[in-house]
Amino acid sequence: MATMRPSLLLFALVAVLAASSAAVAQLEIGFYSKTCPQVEEIVREEMVKIIAAAPSLAGPLLRLHFHDCFVNGCDASVLLDSTKNNLAEKDAKPNKSLRGFGSVERVKVKLEAACPGVVSCADVLTLMSRDAVVLAKGPTWPVALGRRDGRASSATEASAELPPANGDVPLLAKIFASKGLNLKDLVVLSGAHTLGTAHCLSFADRLYNSTGAYGLVDPSLDSKYADKLKLKCKSVDDRSMLSEMDPGSYKTFDTSYYRHVAKRRGLFRSDAALLTDTTTRDYIQRVATGKFDAEFFKDFSESMIKMGNVGVLTGAQGEIRNKCHVLN
């Protein structure tokens, strides 16, 4: 397959941005051109340092953006701390394993020093997730900016709205559709599992039954791969050990995740479920051949642009936080 030239790819991705709905009409490429023209340079410079020091953070930072956008839109509400009267998103059960909050604050401090009170935490997180992918050898894409920060953050809403790791395709498709994302976006964005690790607790139910008995419960998981996972995850309640979501390539953004899933070696039930639907299975098997990496990179870029526009606050909505973890 011919590789798309960078200039043509950029043109195509800008076209995706131009086709965005009226709800995100106030997001713009170059939104900070007059108020903080060096915003992307500052974020990229700091991200280079962060990923150089801890390459394994690329996955968690990308996941932070996902978990933010799926709960009340991309408004940085996942970054807010809980208060005496409110349990915030970051303390919801599905978010207990999120990492990278300190890195976001680090970048925000740099931006506040250069452009006080100008750049939102929502835009910071969106840019950091793009740069995390790029620095992990993945694709790049243009990021329209102008998001505002949300003032509400609810653990209850996070638990209800985030796609579960054990979800089947009908459930996952319903959740994605509620965010304006389709079945293709589901299988494409699942490709983000090429980066990062997961706690045993999130998939051990595939290895052990409810009593903790040793034995494969989920027949959709390759038995040899299951045996390897059991060497690390000793019980269904194991909360300490981590496993790579894309074994051997968890710090590099590539298509090997799809090859693992095609061989029934996806870590989560939601990964395995993608083989039960014709549309998602066909996409997995196509990318798993290794002949369509450029196509996947383009698809991922387009889906990330769509997701980054979900439920955004613009104009006079929300606020611009001085610190990402607390309201002004």
Side-chain angles (χ1 to χ4, degrees):
M1 175 183 175
T3 300
M4 181 176 288
R5 297 205 310 271
S7 59
L8 293 178
L9 176 58
L10 181 62
F11 178 82
L13 294 175
V14 170
V16 172
L17 282 170
S20 296
S21 68
V24 294
Q26 294 181 67
L27 294 184
E28 302 174 25
I29 298 292
F31 180 84
Y32 298 108
S33 60
K34 295 182 179 180
T35 55
C36 192
Q38 68 272 48
V39 56
E40 294 201 38
E41 180 182 341
I42 292 172
V43 174
R44 175 62 64 88
E45 182 178 312
E46 218 43 43
M47 279 294 293
V48 167
K49 297 175 183 176
I50 289 168
I51 299 302
S56 63
L57 267 180
L61 288 170
L62 181 55
R63 187 174 176 231
L64 259 184
H65 182 48
F66 284 158
H67 282 231
D68 182 42
C69 293
F70 269 84
V71 185
N72 290 327
C74 309
D75 65 351
S77 53
V78 74
L79 304 176
L80 286 170
D81 288 340
S82 293
T83 64
K84 181 174 65 175
N85 300 315
N86 180 67
L87 192 65
E89 291 173 32
K90 66 165 58 171
D91 289 315
K93 187 176 180 180
N95 286 339
K96 287 289 189 179
S97 60
L98 289 179
R99 296 192 295 130
F101 296 103
S103 296
V104 179
E105 291 292 353
R106 170 177 166 174
V107 174
K108 177 64 170 172
V109 167
K110 289 288 185 179
L111 286 168
E112 284 298 302
C115 319
V118 173
V119 182
S120 69
C121 296
D123 278 343
V124 171
L125 184 54
T126 305
L127 287 170
M128 288 179 70
S129 68
R130 188 269 310 273
D131 289 353
V133 171
V134 173
L135 294 169
K137 301 182 180 179
T140 189
W141 58 90
V143 176
L145 301 171
R147 296 165 188 77
R148 304 270 291 181
D149 298 326
R151 297 183 56 82
S153 183
S154 165
T156 300
E157 291 183 352
S159 295
E161 296 186 33
L162 287 169
N166 62 354
D168 59 17
V169 171
L171 174 60
L172 297 173
K174 181 179 179 180
I175 293 172
F176 270 63
S178 72
K179 312 302 176 186
L181 302 171
N182 58 32
L183 203 56
K184 182 177 180 180
D185 295 314
L186 167 59
V187 68
V188 168
L189 292 175
S190 292
H193 289 174
T194 185
L195 293 175
T197 57
H199 287 276
C200 292
L201 194 63
S202 62
F203 61 86
D205 65 323
R206 303 185 73 192
L207 308 175
Y208 306 99
N209 64 27
S210 59
T211 64
Y214 191 89
L216 181 61
V217 173
D218 186 355
S220 68
L221 182 64
D222 176 74
S223 59
K224 291 183 179 179
Y225 181 45
D227 289 339
K228 290 183 180 179
L229 291 174
K230 288 174 185 175
L231 295 176
K232 287 189 174 182
C233 301
K234 302 299 183 182
S235 75
V236 73
D237 295 318
D238 193 331
R239 298 172 184 271
S240 59
M241 295 302 297
L242 294 170
S243 287
E244 299 172 5
M245 291 193 289
D246 185 0
S249 181
Y250 78 104
K251 296 178 184 178
T252 303
F253 191 95
D254 55 26
T255 57
S256 62
Y257 159 80
Y258 292 104
R259 288 187 281 281
H260 286 298
V261 174
K263 295 176 182 177
R264 298 189 301 118
R265 294 182 178 182
L267 193 59
F268 305 117
R269 287 186 187 272
S270 59
D271 295 325
L274 296 174
L275 293 176
T276 66
D277 175 88
T278 301
T279 299
T280 54
R281 182 177 62 249
D282 288 350
Y283 190 89
I284 287 169
Q285 292 176 340
R286 177 180 173 84
V287 178
T289 63
K291 299 178 181 178
F292 301 96
D293 289 16
E295 180 180 316
F296 165 65
F297 275 27
K298 178 177 178 291
D299 290 342
F300 189 82
S301 299
E302 292 177 352
S303 290
M304 284 296 291
I305 289 172
K306 289 176 65 177
M307 190 189 74
N309 291 342
V310 170
V312 297
L313 302 176
T314 58
Q317 299 172 312
E319 64 178 9
I320 303 295
R321 286 183 225 139
N322 298 321
K323 296 180 179 179
C324 294
H325 67 285
V326 292
L327 297 174
N328 289 346

